[in-house]
Amino acid sequence: MGDKKGERYSMDVDLGVLEPSDFPEVYDIMEESFPASEVRPYEKARELIDHPDYNILAVKSPKGKLGGFLAVWNFPTFNFAEYFAISKKLRGKGLGSAALKRFLKRNKKPLVLEVEAFNTTTAKRRVRFYERLGFVRNDITYIEPPTEEGETPIPLTIMSYPHPIPQEKRQEVKALIFKQVYGMSI
């Protein structure tokens, strides 16, 4: 189900640990899905696979075809989805929804992620996608530090599942993301 035009993916999509041999294809999906300022250089991205708090999960169709990935930081009180992308050729078939639903069902911690704070058609579509899955927007915005010198920083806002982040925890969440993901203090 899902490989032919018009077919939709269901919960039988596979969401498993990334095989190192799949990383080049995952990186290609990353580059086609995110602005250059949000994508680490290949070697830096590859090195993260060995970080104990970082996991890249492969999103595969029921036939085993790599269709996307979910890169997640495991923090003490929440998980942070740094990247979530589906290959352009497989978008719109429900693969992303099925994979994220599976992740949310398997994990008990809240999931936090960033979306662009732009008022563009693409940014609005992303927010609606996450809202349909039960994510809520939080009043946490910041400028993402560029991954490489010379890249343009991007304004981001935080979404969370299944509930909003309590006001008294927002600064703590932001500080942890900056420290662990971006390697800087705020």
Side-chain angles (χ1 to χ4, degrees):
M1 181 174 174
D3 285 344
K4 295 180 184 164
K5 187 173 182 167
E7 286 187 286
R8 308 264 319 152
Y9 288 94
S10 65
M11 286 298 286
D12 61 352
V13 66
D14 183 31
L15 183 66
V17 176
L18 179 76
E19 296 294 327
S21 60
D22 286 334
F23 184 78
E25 190 173 354
V26 161
Y27 193 80
D28 289 344
I29 295 169
M30 189 182 303
E31 286 188 310
E32 79 180 15
S33 303
F34 296 96
S37 63
E38 290 186 35
V39 178
R40 288 183 180 90
Y42 184 91
E43 285 307 315
K44 287 183 180 178
R46 174 71 181 80
E47 287 171 7
L48 275 176
I49 291 175
D50 297 326
H51 193 289
D53 296 327
Y54 190 76
N55 292 300
I56 299 178
L57 302 172
V59 176
K60 293 188 177 183
S61 72
K63 295 181 181 178
K65 181 178 180 174
L66 180 68
F69 71 98
L70 174 62
V72 180
W73 288 90
N74 181 17
F75 296 143
T77 59
F78 66 94
N79 289 314
F80 176 70
E82 182 177 16
Y83 296 109
F84 177 56
I86 301 299
S87 171
K88 281 186 179 180
K89 61 184 176 247
L90 295 174
R91 289 182 193 155
K93 300 176 190 303
L95 182 62
S97 294
L100 202 49
K101 284 177 186 176
R102 174 157 288 186
F103 179 84
L104 295 170
K105 186 176 180 181
R106 289 190 332 204
N107 291 277
K108 302 301 177 212
K109 290 184 197 176
L111 183 61
V112 172
L113 54 82
E114 301 164 328
V115 291
E116 286 99 359
F118 297 125
N119 194 19
T120 64
T121 302
T122 302
K124 289 177 185 177
R125 189 172 56 238
R126 280 192 186 116
V127 168
R128 283 193 307 271
F129 168 80
Y130 289 117
E131 287 175 337
R132 282 193 305 272
L133 294 171
F135 283 80
V136 293
R137 282 188 266 185
N138 293 270
D139 189 22
I140 305 172
T141 58
Y142 50 83
I143 302 296
E144 177 187 41
T147 55
E148 286 291 299
E149 207 171 301
E151 293 290 348
T152 305
I154 295 178
L156 299 172
T157 191
I158 293 287
M159 296 186 78
S160 59
Y161 175 92
H163 306 292
I165 299 167
Q167 182 69 36
E168 65 275 7
K169 296 285 186 184
R170 291 178 181 178
Q171 188 62 26
E172 179 183 325
V173 166
K174 183 177 170 181
L176 186 56
I177 291 169
F178 267 72
K179 180 180 178 188
Q180 292 298 110
V181 178
Y182 301 121
M184 53 189 351
S185 301
I186 56 169

